[in-house]
Each structure stands twice: as structure tokens, then as C-alpha cells.
């Protein structure tokens, strides 16, 4: 201990004193808290070329920037107006929303194994998932998926007994 202070405390005090002296010497040359990129943008009034997004690839492109080709003059003949898109047509399988129809598609029997039930669920979901059909038909697809999941869950419960 030096003069009632620990060695560590005396080192900290000396470092603080050195920092204050260096700050006094550098105060005329830099503003505390400003980083170089900010100072570079303020110095010339314009940001550096490398920091401007529109000039990022100027070195690669060179000075010859191709202009877009001029638009052809409008023709005097009337062009046919674009037809409105026809509404999507519902696939036939989405109309089969009864429990019997879905059960017939799944073909679950007493010999069906647990692994094949999981495979049937994945295959049915891949073909019938509501996200894979047009928005107007999602309700039918959702109904079919709910029925298929119920049938497969019942078959799994029967197998585990």
C-alpha cells in the first residue's frame, strides 16, 4: 500500500490522471464521441462515395451506365383489353366431404399398421392441405383434413388397445 491506498487504487488514479492530460492535449484536434465515419460525412458536406448506396458499385460498372431503351410510340390500332382472370375451378375431390368418402380414400382396414397410418396421414395432408388449394376452397379442404385426422386418430386408438 502506498500512502493509505492499495497498489491497484494508485494505478487507477495514475491512469485517470494520464487520461485527463491526454484529453487536454487532444481537445483541439478531436471532438469526443464523434466517430470517423460521421466526421468524414460532415467534413465535405457529402457522405463518402463508398457509403452512398447508389454509388456502391460504381467501380465495378465504370462510367458507362447504359440508358434504358426508348419506349416505342403508341400504336394507333386498338389492342384488345386484357381479359379478367377466370375464377378458379374447384377440384372434384374437394366436393367429397362426407365421412364415408374420406374413409374410402384412406382405405383404413383392420390390417393397417401404425406406420402405414402415419404414411396415410402425410400423403392425405400433402394432397388435401388447405394451404395448397385456392382460397375459395379452403373450407372444403379443412373439412376433409379434419375428417381424415379423426379417422386416423380413431384407427390409432384401436391399434393401441
Amino acid at each position: 500500500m502506498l500512502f493509505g491506498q492499495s497498489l491497484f487504487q494508485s494505478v487507477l488514479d495514475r491512469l485517470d490522471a494520464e487520461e485527463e492530460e491526454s484529453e487536454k492535449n487532444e481537445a483541439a484536434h478531436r471532438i469526443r464521441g464523434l466517430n470517423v465515419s460521421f466526421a468524414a460525412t460532415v467534413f465535405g458536406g457529402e457522405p463518402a462515395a463508398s457509403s452512398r448506396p447508389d454509388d456502391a458499385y460504381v467501380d465495378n460498372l465504370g462510367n458507362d451506365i447504359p440508358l434504358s431503351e426508348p419506349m416505342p410510340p403508341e400504336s394507333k390500332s386498338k389492342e384488345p383489353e386484357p381479359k379478367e382472370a377466370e375464377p378458379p375451378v374447384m377440384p372434384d375431390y374437394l366436393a367429397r366431404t362426407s365421412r364415408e368418402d374420406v374413409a374410402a380414400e384412406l382405405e383404413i382396414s383392420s390390417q393397417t399398421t401404425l406406420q402405414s397410418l402415419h404414411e396415410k396421414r402425410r400423403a392425405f395432408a400433402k394432397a388435401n392441405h388447405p394451404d395448397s388449394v385456392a382460397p375459395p376452397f379452403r373450407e372444403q379442404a379443412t373439412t376433409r383434413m379434419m375428417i381424415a385426422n379423426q379417422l386416423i386418430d380413431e384407427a390409432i386408438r384401436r391399434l393401441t388397445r
Side-chain angles (χ1 to χ4, degrees):
M1 291 182 53
L2 301 170
F3 305 110
Q5 292 181 339
S6 68
L7 179 62
F8 180 73
Q9 186 62 42
S10 63
V11 170
L12 288 178
D13 290 343
R14 186 178 54 129
L15 289 174
D16 286 341
E18 287 176 4
E19 184 179 349
E20 288 175 8
E21 288 177 26
S22 65
E23 285 178 3
K24 289 177 185 175
N25 293 337
E26 291 180 12
H29 300 291
R30 77 177 176 104
I31 300 171
R32 186 179 181 107
L34 291 181
N35 64 21
V36 175
S37 63
F38 179 74
T41 59
V42 172
F43 177 69
E46 279 283 323
S50 62
S51 68
R52 292 184 51 193
D54 55 342
D55 289 341
Y57 299 103
V58 169
D59 293 338
N60 294 337
L61 293 175
N63 293 333
D64 300 337
I65 298 175
L67 299 174
S68 60
E69 295 182 16
M71 296 292 290
E74 291 185 30
S75 61
K76 295 182 180 179
S77 64
K78 285 189 174 180
E79 294 181 21
E81 292 183 19
K83 296 180 181 178
E84 290 184 20
E86 295 181 19
V89 178
M90 183 170 76
D92 293 336
Y93 69 91
L94 287 178
R96 298 189 298 266
T97 57
S98 71
R99 189 172 173 91
E100 293 78 22
D101 291 336
V102 175
E105 283 184 51
L106 289 173
E107 298 175 346
I108 298 174
S109 66
S110 60
Q111 286 79 27
T112 307
T113 64
L114 182 63
Q115 182 180 356
S116 66
L117 285 171
H118 290 302
E119 289 171 5
K120 286 178 187 273
R121 186 189 309 262
R122 281 192 296 276
F124 193 87
K126 186 175 181 181
N128 296 279
H129 198 276
D131 290 344
S132 65
V133 298
F137 314 123
R138 289 195 175 147
E139 187 176 333
Q140 289 88 349
T142 302
T143 302
R144 286 175 54 81
M145 285 297 301
M146 287 189 323
I147 293 170
N149 284 328
Q150 288 172 353
L151 290 169
I152 292 171
D153 289 342
E154 288 171 8
I156 290 173
R157 278 194 294 273
R158 282 194 302 269
L159 280 175
T160 58
R161 286 185 195 175

